[in-house]
């Protein structure tokens, strides 16, 4: 009901093994006038999982022909399905045992390192859509799961000519409104946020320096401008100057 993309649940069947899964679908039409957002979200989810964060597994969904006609009681979703030929993006539902993040009561079981990693990752991927009133987080026991990256890389084009784009984007993200900001540890001068994220990102990027992004996303989703070259350029800038990124992130987070 609240989702920008009007997400909905379906039972999907894996074409390879015929297993069935409950899926949270964000149809191609649901992205409306932001067709590049579907690729950005897909890549952000894949990258989060590569870097050790808990995030739902993304999958691609193809609706059976005339599927929209079997749900006449849900005209909004029927139209989204009708207007989304080909592949749409979905994630495998994590399960009912995950609880929504409520900022007023920080679960004591959560590891501070996971909170810090999720915060730093949002800064890396320019995601400003995780504020107090819209956290898009789930937790279970000592695990924290990050959801919804349809606003990831929001400043990718705006800052693509900058050698150090994070110096502007971290200000534009207004990190003080991030739902995890108040739960960060004390940021001392020598403290560097997100050390594990830093190390895991370097390992991932250096393991396949050529075509890392396009290697992750090999399926065309009907978007004429997938932003993949821009993502490659941005990630290379991060890799070359990650220490500068984290210095600015630490300074911006102290405010």
């Amino acid at each position: 009901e609240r989702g920008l993309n009007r997400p909905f649940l379906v039972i999907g069947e894996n074409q390879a093994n015929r297993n069935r899964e409950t899926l949270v679908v964000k149809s191609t039409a649901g992205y409306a006038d932001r067709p590049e957002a579907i690729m950005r979200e897909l890549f952000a989810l894949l990258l989060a999982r590569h870097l050790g964060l808990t995030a739902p597994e993304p999958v691609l969904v193809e609706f059976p022909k005339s599927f929209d006609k079997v749900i006449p009681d849900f005209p909004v979703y029927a139209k989204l399905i009708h207007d989304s030929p080909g592949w749409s993006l979905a994630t495998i539902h994590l399960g009912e045992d995950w609880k929504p993040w409520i900022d007023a009561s920080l679960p004591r079981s959560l590891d501070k390192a996971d909170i810090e990693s999720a915060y730093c990752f949002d800064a890396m991927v320019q995601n400003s859509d995780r504020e107090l009133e819209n956290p898009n987080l789930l937790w279970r026991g000592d695990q924290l799961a990050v959801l919804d990256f349809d606003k990831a890389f929001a400043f990718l084009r705006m800052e693509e000519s900058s050698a150090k784009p994070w110096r502007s984007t971290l200000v534009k993200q207004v990190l003080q409104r991030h739902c995890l900001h108040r739960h960060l540890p004390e940021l001392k001068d020598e403290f560097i946020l997100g050390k594990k994220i830093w190390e895991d990102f370097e390992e991932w990027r250096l393991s396949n320096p050529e075509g890392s992004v396009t290697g992750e996303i090999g399926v065309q989703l009907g978007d004429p401008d997938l932003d993949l070259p821009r993502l490659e350029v941005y990630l290379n800038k991060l890799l070359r100057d990650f220490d500068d990124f984290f210095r600015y992130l630490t300074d911006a987070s102290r405010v």
Side-chain angles (χ1 to χ4, degrees), residues 79-96:
K79 179 168 176 35
L80 286 174
I81 291 167
H82 179 270
D83 295 342
S84 301
W87 297 98
S88 286
L89 178 64
T91 54
I92 296 177
H93 194 267
L94 289 176
E96 299 297 338

Side-chain angles (χ1 to χ4, degrees), residues 25 30 43 110 153-154 175 181 193 222 241 245:
V25 178
F43 179 71
L110 290 181
F153 305 105
L175 295 171
H181 180 269
L193 274 171
D241 217 348
F245 167 78

Side-chain angles (χ1 to χ4, degrees), residues 43-97:
F43 179 71
L45 284 165
L46 290 169
L47 182 60
R49 292 168 62 85
H50 271 298
L51 300 187
L53 280 77
T54 300
E57 180 182 356
V59 294
L60 297 178
V61 172
E62 188 173 30
F63 300 113
K65 188 175 181 180
S66 302
F67 182 60
D68 56 298
K69 293 183 172 57
V70 304
I71 50 172
D73 294 337
F74 304 94
V76 171
Y77 299 111
K79 179 168 176 35
L80 286 174
I81 291 167
H82 179 270
D83 295 342
S84 301
W87 297 98
S88 286
L89 178 64
T91 54
I92 296 177
H93 194 267
L94 289 176
E96 299 297 338
D97 53 340

Side-chain angles (χ1 to χ4, degrees), residues 11-229:
I11 302 298
E13 184 176 83
N14 188 315
Q15 292 181 339
N17 56 27
R18 300 303 180 188
N19 290 341
R20 292 191 171 191
E21 298 278 6
T22 300
L23 305 174
V24 182
V25 178
K26 292 185 175 181
S27 63
T28 304
Y31 287 88
D33 59 349
R34 304 178 306 124
E36 74 285 347
I38 188 170
M39 275 300 178
R40 297 179 185 183
E41 178 157 19
L42 173 56
F43 179 71
L45 284 165
L46 290 169
L47 182 60
R49 292 168 62 85
H50 271 298
L51 300 187
L53 280 77
T54 300
E57 180 182 356
V59 294
L60 297 178
V61 172
E62 188 173 30
F63 300 113
K65 188 175 181 180
S66 302
F67 182 60
D68 56 298
K69 293 183 172 57
V70 304
I71 50 172
D73 294 337
F74 304 94
V76 171
Y77 299 111
K79 179 168 176 35
L80 286 174
I81 291 167
H82 179 270
D83 295 342
S84 301
W87 297 98
S88 286
L89 178 64
T91 54
I92 296 177
H93 194 267
L94 289 176
E96 299 297 338
D97 53 340
W98 287 82
K99 303 176 181 64
W101 174 276
I102 300 175
D103 189 72
S105 55
L106 173 67
R108 294 185 178 181
S109 58
L110 290 181
D111 190 328
K112 282 281 189 180
D114 290 342
I115 292 174
E116 184 186 313
S117 292
Y119 174 84
C120 292
F121 183 75
D122 277 338
M124 276 180 60
V125 300
Q126 305 174 2
N127 179 33
S128 58
D129 193 26
R130 209 179 302 287
E131 298 185 356
L132 292 175
E133 65 276 7
N134 189 40
N136 291 322
L137 294 170
L138 298 175
W139 69 278
R140 181 184 66 181
D142 61 353
Q143 292 179 289
L144 180 69
V146 290
L147 313 170
D148 289 345
F149 287 97
D150 54 275
K151 291 186 178 179
F153 305 105
F155 311 106
L156 194 64
R157 300 189 186 198
M158 188 185 306
E159 300 293 340
E160 64 180 323
S161 62
S162 172
K164 303 178 190 295
W166 48 88
R167 293 188 175 188
S168 297
T169 60
L170 291 175
V171 174
K172 292 172 182 174
Q173 286 178 253
V174 194
L175 295 171
Q176 291 69 35
R177 293 207 299 252
H178 194 288
C179 67
L180 297 178
H181 180 269
R182 67 177 67 185
H183 304 297
L184 294 175
E186 181 183 355
L187 302 179
K188 301 177 181 178
D189 289 343
E190 68 275 13
F191 190 89
I192 298 177
L193 274 171
K195 184 177 181 181
K196 186 178 187 308
I197 286 286
W198 184 344
E199 293 171 348
D200 288 347
F201 175 75
E202 286 185 314
E203 182 180 346
W204 168 75
R205 192 63 176 157
L206 291 172
S207 67
N208 182 17
E210 300 298 329
S212 294
V213 177
T214 52
E216 295 294 341
I217 304 175
V219 178
Q220 305 292 315
L221 296 182
D223 178 6
D225 184 356
L226 302 181
D227 271 344
L228 297 185

